[in-house]
Amino acid sequence: MVGNISAESPYDRGLAYLHHAASLALEPEMVYIPDNLGDRVRLCTWVGTRIEAINGRLEQLLHHCHQCFYPQQQRTIRILAAPINEKFGIDGCCNIRLLPVTILLDVGRVEPESWLSLVVHEYAHAHVGHPGHEQNFVQVLTHLCLGLGLPAPPSNATDQYLRHWPHYKPTANALDFWMDR
């Protein structure tokens, strides 16, 4: 699993994983852990049985991003999936204050065929080490998009436009994924 997390039941593994992910988030309450016991058991059990496969897929996508750069240009980056509390209004975030830089993605908010787009966006933030969408970010994002066969952002793209680039297909309800509905 992640770090030194080991537990007996899928619920315990899932809960430990979510607490670990929360410790890596920009704010711990970004990681959604339901207050309702029934929902918490369902979500944590699902995470405890499936998160390794999901994070394995994200690691593959991260590797594809790394391949767009020479080894000496690659930053040390870790990537994790976790449900992000809806009140934050984001699909993913990059914690550049940590070493390694940590990308946290709510893959439940995005159709699986669009996960690469979400990884690319957050990878660009991790690579430049800055949360904004300035010129360095645009250059790295464009480089990644071209290298991975995604459409590059328009040269005149605004900050608001870049917040959702490359485009991806959102899901109707992120919690449906995490709650196995």
Side-chain angles (χ1 to χ4, degrees):
M1 184 71 82
V2 176
N4 294 325
I5 297 172
S6 63
E8 296 296 320
S9 74
Y11 170 81
D12 289 333
R13 283 192 307 273
L15 185 60
Y17 173 85
L18 291 174
H19 283 296
H20 177 70
S23 74
L24 301 172
L26 295 169
E27 298 178 31
E29 57 275 358
M30 289 180 90
V31 173
Y32 176 70
I33 301 173
D35 292 328
N36 174 288
L37 182 60
D39 288 345
R40 186 175 338 122
V41 168
R42 186 174 186 161
L43 182 129
C44 291
T45 301
W46 190 92
V47 167
T49 57
R50 294 178 178 90
I51 200 63
E52 288 181 20
I54 293 166
N55 282 341
R57 177 67 183 133
L58 292 178
E59 284 288 335
Q60 291 173 339
L61 298 175
L62 181 73
H63 179 72
H64 292 315
C65 291
H66 278 320
Q67 294 299 311
C68 292
F69 297 93
Y70 293 112
Q72 65 271 21
Q73 294 174 311
Q74 297 172 6
R75 296 196 58 183
T76 304
I77 300 170
R78 83 178 124 204
I79 191 166
L80 301 169
I84 296 177
N85 195 320
E86 203 172 280
K87 73 178 183 178
F88 287 90
I90 59 173
D91 303 324
C93 65
C94 176
N95 192 341
I96 58 176
R97 299 178 293 193
L98 296 177
L99 289 175
V101 172
T102 301
I103 296 173
L104 186 65
L105 301 177
D106 188 338
V107 295
R109 294 179 182 273
V110 179
E111 293 293 337
E113 66 269 12
S114 294
W115 287 3
L116 178 60
S117 295
L118 190 55
V119 172
V120 163
H121 183 94
E122 293 304 329
Y123 185 96
H125 284 300
H127 188 83
V128 299
H130 192 271
H133 300 105
E134 289 84 17
Q135 188 60 34
N136 287 347
F137 171 83
V138 174
Q139 289 172 340
V140 169
L141 183 64
T142 299
H143 180 78
L144 287 164
C145 287
L146 294 174
L148 296 169
L150 298 169
S155 58
N156 62 346
T158 63
D159 179 72
Q160 187 63 26
Y161 193 77
L162 290 169
R163 289 174 191 252
H164 305 286
W165 196 274
H167 296 296
Y168 53 83
K169 185 177 179 185
T171 59
N173 183 341
L175 284 180
D176 284 350
F177 176 84
W178 296 104
M179 302 291 259
D180 200 21
R181 292 185 261 200

